[in-house]
Amino acid sequence: MTDVGGSVPGSLPCAASSVFEEGIQIPVTKIASRGTWNTDLMEVIYRNVRIPEWNRGDVKALVAACEMAGRRMVELYQRFGDKLYFAAIAELLDRNRKAIASIIKKMPEEPAYFEDWIDDDGQGVGPWKIACTMTRKGEKLDFDFSGTDPQSSSSINFYLSIAMFKMFVGIYMLVVYDANVVANDGFHDLLNVNIPEGTLLHPIRPAALSCRTHFLGRLMDVLSGLLGQRAPEFMTAAGFSDSPHFMYSGYRENGEWFQLYWIGFGGIPARPIGDGPDGHCLWPAMKAIPNEFLEQYYPLRIEQFNTVADTGGAGLHRGGNAQRIYWRFLEEGTISIHDDRWLSKPWGVRGGEPGARSTKTLVRYSQDADDPPREALGSKQDHIMVSNGDVLEWITWGGGGWGNPCERDPEIVALEVRRKLVTVEGAKRYGVVLHEDLSVDLDRSKGLREKMTGSQGAETKLGIFNRGESWEELKKRSLEETGLPPPRAPWEVTLRGPMTQLPYFKDWQNKHR
């Protein structure tokens, strides 16, 4: 459901301070009983959303899908009988458990620790840390999120379902180590997960959650950082690790309401087996909406839709390039932006370089068509007024690189220059110099690579993870490089909420005083 009420169209306010600003809340309630719809309840829901016809269609689609799934399960049961039916389910669960157990047993017992950050909360506070320690104990794995920052007063909190986190771990392990095994929850008892109450991943009601997709995506990077330490050959770099959202809404000149809810893509991380895809979606089920469809049904024009050369981190395997879209608005309205990595960069691994930052710039042609003012936008911002003719320059971030860039085949680098995925200047990050006809200058490339590599390999000098700069360095150059002031650390502001009396919060507060 792309709108459930709340303070902004799309129901994902960046500045919400409680769940009450995020839309209608309904406890678990039957929408139908014995074939009869709970019409009164549904009408209450539809009265509290901006486009009720959308929600009516969504509800019917969800119910139809559930009915079809139930029908198929009954058909299987009736066809094979209860003994074979349940025996098959038990066998699949057992195979899954044995496969995950065998993978866990091969891991060393030494704990692995990893941390990553969301740049800010949209209110000038950040970065916000998510931390996790992974420890093997026999055939079981413990994941302890102690060290994660307390819940935010804004809406970046993400109430992490332990069952969902276990699913993420299992799928990652099977894809990397044993892709022939069916993914299911047979292994769940092999994982123990501790998420301290009152933290970003276990916020206390009524904490706001509407910007939760930042930490949802960032968990993928954390898992790679943890599990990859135990098997570096299977480690991926950091990707765009988010679900960038864009909303545009308002009234047309004819009085009709329009509302766009759009999910963007970015640079996928480089992997041990190859490059990260350019401008791709992190979630397999998500597909790009054709530009022609958007232009047909919404008052806008898409003037550019491509990837940005050199935004993927350099490496033996290149990180995926960022997505660039220029949106021209044809009606007055408001836009909202959900994004991250505007200050930090997706890290590279094993000698690979970080990917590029994201940027969002509003060009106000409505004020001056010849010399329009340019406004750098925050990565989490609501209620941005736009007028007919204004253009939003939307650029996500690139994926981190994997491996030493000087080990990449120079001919592949030259090919990507010709394909406009890498620039001539960007080729030098790989130690590749090109002739004017874009062929490889072998002698100059050899000299450049020798100079870049030196006596030690890139991984030896940088360590497994290459974040580029420290947070102190990033903040120091924030205004100059991004046009935005650096965020204030969470311990530099007054945090209020139901978590403040918990021992965990008090320990965190004392640590940072």
Side-chain angles (χ1 to χ4, degrees):
M1 297 214 183
T2 53
D3 192 285
V4 292
S7 61
V8 299
S11 309
L12 296 175
C14 298
S17 59
S18 75
V19 71
F20 302 111
E21 300 166 61
E22 298 175 338
I24 187 171
Q25 300 175 64
I26 307 165
V28 177
T29 308
K30 279 190 174 185
I31 63 172
S33 179
R34 300 182 183 275
T36 301
W37 278 88
N38 189 340
T39 305
D40 292 341
L41 170 66
M42 299 312 296
E43 288 305 317
V44 169
I45 295 173
Y46 301 144
R47 179 63 64 90
N48 282 274
V49 301
R50 290 174 175 83
I51 309 182
E53 58 269 28
W54 285 9
N55 296 70
R56 293 179 194 275
D58 289 342
V59 168
K60 290 179 180 178
L62 290 168
V63 170
C66 291
E67 286 185 340
M68 180 59 70
R71 191 181 308 162
R72 291 289 182 260
M73 296 299 290
V74 171
E75 289 172 357
L76 283 173
Y77 183 87
Q78 292 175 336
R79 178 180 177 185
F80 295 104
D82 59 351
K83 186 176 181 180
L84 183 57
Y85 177 83
F86 289 113
I89 291 176
E91 176 65 19
L92 290 173
L93 292 170
D94 186 57
R95 288 183 188 179
N96 175 273
R97 191 182 189 280
K98 288 178 179 177
I100 296 292
S102 67
I103 294 170
I104 292 174
K105 289 177 181 178
K106 296 175 184 176
M107 295 181 175
E109 293 187 344
E110 179 185 359
Y113 174 82
F114 193 75
E115 59 188 23
D116 209 344
W117 296 266
I118 295 296
D119 289 353
D120 72 324
D121 61 0
Q123 307 306 305
V125 181
W128 295 84
K129 183 173 71 174
I130 175 175
C132 189
T133 301
M134 180 183 73
T135 308
R136 181 174 76 83
K137 297 179 180 178
E139 68 171 6
K140 296 192 176 184
L141 274 182
D142 288 357
F143 291 88
D144 184 2
F145 284 90
S146 296
T148 297
D149 282 341
Q151 68 188 64
S152 169
S153 301
S154 187
S155 57
I156 59 168
N157 305 296
F158 172 46
Y159 197 103
L160 175 57
S161 160
I162 289 179
M164 184 170 70
F165 178 73
K166 290 181 177 182
M167 176 189 71
F168 288 162
V169 175
I171 290 176
Y172 183 97
M173 295 176 76
L174 291 176
V175 167
V176 169
Y177 298 99
D178 194 350
N180 294 316
V181 176
V182 174
N184 58 45
D185 61 355
F187 71 96
H188 278 204
D189 68 303
L190 301 178
L191 304 185
N192 297 314
V193 183
N194 174 50
I195 308 174
E197 186 181 25
T199 61
L200 292 161
L201 301 181
H202 190 174
I204 302 172
R205 180 178 168 86
L209 304 167
S210 46
C211 275
R212 60 191 174 275
T213 55
H214 306 303
F215 277 120
L216 170 62
R218 200 56 48 85
L219 276 173
M220 306 303 174
D221 284 347
V222 171
L223 276 178
S224 177
L226 285 170
L227 296 170
Q229 291 179 53
R230 295 292 160 256
E233 66 274 17
F234 295 126
M235 178 186 291
T236 67
F240 73 100
S241 311
D242 196 352
S243 184
H245 288 36
F246 167 65
M247 288 84 162
Y248 170 43
S249 61
Y251 284 98
R252 297 177 186 267
E253 189 176 354
N254 63 7
E256 292 181 358
W257 174 260
F258 65 90
Q259 184 172 318
L260 171 64
Y261 180 113
W262 182 87
I263 298 177
F265 304 156
I268 299 297
R271 305 158 290 167
I273 61 171
D275 298 344
D278 302 307
H280 203 276
C281 184
L282 187 68
W283 315 109
M286 294 288 185
K287 307 296 181 184
I289 302 173
N291 293 345
E292 296 79 4
F293 176 93
L294 294 173
E295 294 179 343
Q296 175 71 26
Y297 290 98
Y298 296 95
L300 56 82
R301 292 291 178 268
I302 296 175
E303 299 191 343
Q304 285 198 45
F305 188 103
N306 51 27
T307 59
V308 187
D310 293 339
T311 50
L316 168 62
H317 301 307
R318 176 177 63 78
N321 281 332
Q323 179 191 60
R324 171 168 52 202
I325 301 181
Y326 284 6
W327 302 87
R328 183 176 291 274
F329 306 113
L330 305 181
E331 292 276 11
E332 290 189 359
T334 61
I335 62 174
S336 295
I337 294 172
H338 285 229
D339 203 1
D340 199 56
R341 293 288 196 198
W342 65 271
L343 184 55
S344 65
K345 301 174 183 178
W347 32 269
V349 295
R350 310 202 71 186
E353 294 183 3
R357 296 179 173 118
S358 67
T359 63
K360 306 292 180 288
T361 305
L362 184 59
V363 187
R364 294 195 177 276
Y365 286 98
S366 61
Q367 296 182 12
D368 189 331
D370 298 321
D371 187 19
R374 297 177 62 85
E375 178 184 348
L377 300 178
S379 67
K380 304 166 190 70
Q381 197 168 338
D382 290 324
H383 304 298
I384 305 168
M385 298 298 300
V386 296
S387 298
N388 186 356
D390 291 344
V391 172
L392 173 65
E393 297 180 355
W394 165 288
I395 297 176
T396 56
W397 55 93
W402 191 100
N404 189 345
C406 292
E407 296 178 5
R408 190 169 177 83
D409 185 342
E411 293 298 335
I412 292 179
V413 177
L415 175 63
E416 293 200 319
V417 171
R418 295 192 289 272
R419 290 178 172 176
K420 303 186 185 305
L421 298 172
V422 176
T423 65
V424 172
E425 189 63 27
K428 296 178 182 178
R429 296 193 299 162
Y430 303 86
V432 176
V433 181
L434 303 179
H435 293 294
E436 289 188 5
D437 64 355
L438 302 184
S439 61
V440 179
D441 186 327
L442 295 176
D443 291 337
R444 292 172 64 195
S445 296
K446 179 181 179 181
L448 179 57
R449 286 192 163 186
E450 289 175 350
K451 181 179 178 181
M452 291 172 62
T453 303
S455 59
Q456 288 183 309
E459 183 178 349
T460 304
K461 290 186 289 185
L462 296 172
I464 295 178
F465 303 101
N466 178 7
R467 298 183 185 272
E469 299 92 6
S470 68
W471 274 105
E472 291 73 17
E473 293 169 325
L474 292 170
K475 287 188 173 185
K476 185 178 180 179
R477 298 196 298 272
S478 175
L479 188 60
E480 175 187 353
E481 294 181 355
T482 71
L484 299 168
R488 298 174 62 192
W491 54 87
E492 294 177 349
V493 300
T494 301
L495 297 181
R496 289 287 184 263
M499 77 293 185
T500 56
Q501 298 306 305
L502 296 177
Y504 183 95
F505 178 84
K506 292 182 178 180
D507 290 344
W508 175 88
Q509 200 172 42
N510 291 332
K511 176 182 176 182
H512 291 288
R513 278 178 176 169

